[in-house]
Amino acid sequence: MKSLSIFGFTGSIGSQALQILRKHKEQFSFEVFVCNSNVDKALEVINEFNPKYIFLSDKIAKEQLKNSLSAKTEIFDDISDVITYLKSNPSDIYLSAISSFDCLELTILAAESGKKLLLANKESLVVYGEVLMNFIKNSGTELVPIDSEHYSLMNSLNNIEKDHIDRIFITASGGPFVGQSRLEIENKKPEEALDHPNWDMGNKITIDSATLVNKCFELIEAKYLFDLDPDKLEILIQPQSIIHSMVELKDGSVEAQMSLPSMIIPLSFGLLGEYSDKTKKDFSLDMFKEDVKLTISDFPKDREELIGISKDVMKNGGNRGLIFAAVNDFAVKKYLKGEINFGEIYNLIFQHYSKIEKKEILSLEDLRDNQRKILNYLGSI
Ligand code: NDP
Ligand code: MG
């Protein structure tokens, strides 16, 4: 039996993991489940899975949960209690699926555990990738990327020598506004941006997908996960979300990894530790028997500045990933509150990425200190 902790259990990734676990309950003991404020969903899951411990970041929600909880599950008061507990009682498997870098401490704990980390929380790699990967390597933690592009790359790169690679492409669906220019999408409403054609994900990542910022984060994610040369990394648009990555060898031949767009595939591999034939039953690419069209196009030229920022983050590190993620986060929140239009997300990123002071980040304290400064700066604009 494997012990399992889930950070972000009420979200889209968390819920899909639980959908798999529901069929394999006898193989797992559920340790610490963490979310922010979704009390109703948390109660539902606690009653079904009986985790030993639970933690909610939001204080009001935590009190509300305490009053409604009848199960045996105990509630941790503070994130430091979660860390203390897991340091002396490490789980065999951690799923890191919180949608921001607010709980980076938990991903660090899992990275240092020497156990198995299923990493969906891409923000942690964007803002702290180098250090995090060092923790993972030094502690011998087994890492499974829970992002379709990186899961597919993991499978390709397991079988290809790095010296033989010329370029690596990760693909983007392009989201709901694929094929439209920056001018055409300038005033798109949140309900339009949230209407993703292929993926059912949390709000933040769905907006990032519509702006293509998500794909830029994924370039950075790929660089750190697989220690790749930033100059070899590129993005292509593949609107059907069937091809997730392509590795071009030096002789021009290309290995593409394909699957139906579903996070159940990487999650099943991570949780069950095997390429399960049960997964294939639901996600077989039988679609190729039909006359299916796969199309590929270039990353839109009018948003190439985003690629420039991503390359700067990958090549120069320091607080650059934090600046990119924090300004984007700030802009997306404003957009979802109706305070700015869609096009303004780009303007805010381009304007303030270059303005904010660049510096080294040597520790988590450094990172938090710099995050506070950036947020103060953003609050004043
Ligand atoms: P959701 O918005 O659906 O869920 C986010 C989860 O994080 C919820 O459980 C939420 O709790 C929790 N959470 C948010 N903030 C905090 C906090 N401060 N403290 C504790 N818990 C918190 O996001 P997704 O599941 O879509 O995405 C999760 C991560 O996975 C992201 O990093 C995303 O980029 C990545 N990812 C997602 C994919 C997808 O298909 N969804 C694909 C690839 C990567 P609550 O519900 O209480 O708010
Ligand atoms: Mg992805």
Side-chain angles (χ1 to χ4, degrees), residues 47-325:
N47 287 334
E48 184 181 355
F49 288 87
N50 291 308
K52 282 191 199 143
Y53 296 95
I54 193 115
F55 175 70
L56 274 68
S57 293
D58 186 280
K59 289 196 172 65
I60 298 169
K62 190 167 52 199
E63 287 312 310
Q64 226 178 314
L65 185 81
K66 262 187 197 163
N67 297 332
S68 335
L69 202 62
S70 56
K72 285 187 204 134
T73 302
E74 280 184 47
I75 304 183
F76 283 127
D77 264 330
D78 195 86
I79 191 162
S80 60
D81 301 328
V82 179
I83 290 171
T84 309
Y85 174 78
L86 287 173
K87 279 208 163 145
S88 42
N89 304 277
S91 299
D92 295 317
I93 305 177
Y94 294 95
L95 171 58
S96 168
I98 285 175
S99 55
S100 69
F101 48 93
D102 286 349
C103 294
L104 188 57
E105 292 82 351
L106 296 177
T107 307
I108 292 174
L109 171 125
E112 286 181 311
S113 67
K115 302 288 186 177
K116 184 173 183 180
L117 167 58
L118 318 186
L119 184 56
N121 175 246
K122 64 186 72 178
E123 293 82 354
S124 58
L125 283 168
V126 173
V127 305
Y128 209 47
E130 197 166 338
V131 184
L132 204 62
M133 288 310 295
N134 280 335
F135 287 149
I136 289 170
K137 277 176 207 138
N138 295 338
S139 59
T141 297
E142 186 188 344
L143 180 65
V144 179
I146 304 296
D147 206 341
S148 50
E149 301 73 12
H150 306 82
Y151 174 72
S152 72
L153 265 183
M154 177 194 80
N155 285 321
S156 287
L157 295 177
N158 271 342
N159 303 308
I160 299 176
E161 278 183 39
K162 266 198 195 147
D163 286 354
H164 297 166
I165 297 172
D166 208 22
R167 288 185 294 177
I168 292 180
F169 302 95
I170 58 170
T171 62
S173 67
F177 310 141
V178 64
Q180 299 183 50
S181 70
R182 238 177 107 182
L183 205 62
E184 286 170 296
I185 62 180
E186 177 83 18
N187 291 309
K188 293 286 186 190
K189 301 266 170 295
E191 53 273 28
E192 296 171 275
L194 288 170
D195 188 18
H196 199 289
N198 307 346
W199 296 96
D200 184 13
M201 311 180 283
N203 284 356
K204 161 71 170 42
I205 184 175
T206 306
I207 299 299
D208 290 348
S209 179
T211 56
L212 294 170
V213 166
N214 177 52
K215 210 48 55 176
C216 294
F217 286 167
E218 290 184 357
L219 277 188
I220 302 167
E221 205 184 345
K223 181 235 168 332
Y224 288 121
L225 282 172
F226 307 109
D227 192 21
L228 300 172
D229 175 353
D231 287 329
K232 292 189 171 178
L233 279 167
E234 295 185 25
I235 299 173
L236 288 172
I237 305 295
Q238 208 288 296
Q240 296 83 15
S241 294
I242 298 291
I243 303 174
H244 302 294
S245 68
M246 289 183 278
V247 180
E248 183 188 45
L249 304 181
K250 288 201 164 137
D251 64 1
S253 59
V254 175
E255 172 164 329
Q257 267 274 334
M258 292 182 265
S259 72
L260 290 182
S262 169
M263 295 310 295
I264 295 286
I265 299 173
L267 280 166
S268 295
F269 178 80
L271 291 166
L272 306 176
E274 61 178 8
Y275 296 103
S276 166
D277 55 358
K278 291 198 184 82
T279 315
K280 188 180 167 190
K281 276 195 190 117
D282 293 327
F283 299 101
S284 164
L285 265 179
D286 275 351
M287 56 179 293
F288 284 126
K289 287 182 195 151
E290 294 156 31
D291 192 10
V292 172
K293 200 172 167 194
L294 293 178
T295 54
I296 293 174
S297 56
D298 278 336
F299 191 86
K301 294 262 177 296
D302 60 7
R303 267 151 286 173
E304 269 190 343
E305 212 172 328
L306 286 176
I307 307 274
I309 292 177
S310 313
K311 297 255 161 152
D312 184 44
V313 172
M314 291 189 274
K315 289 180 181 179
N316 299 309
N319 67 342
R320 287 168 179 77
L322 174 65
I323 299 173
F324 188 16

Side-chain angles (χ1 to χ4, degrees), residues 8 10-13 35-38 57 97 103 120 122-123 147 201-202:
T10 48
S12 154
I13 290 287
C35 73
N36 186 32
S37 60
N38 190 341
S57 293
C103 294
K122 64 186 72 178
E123 293 82 354
D147 206 341
M201 311 180 283

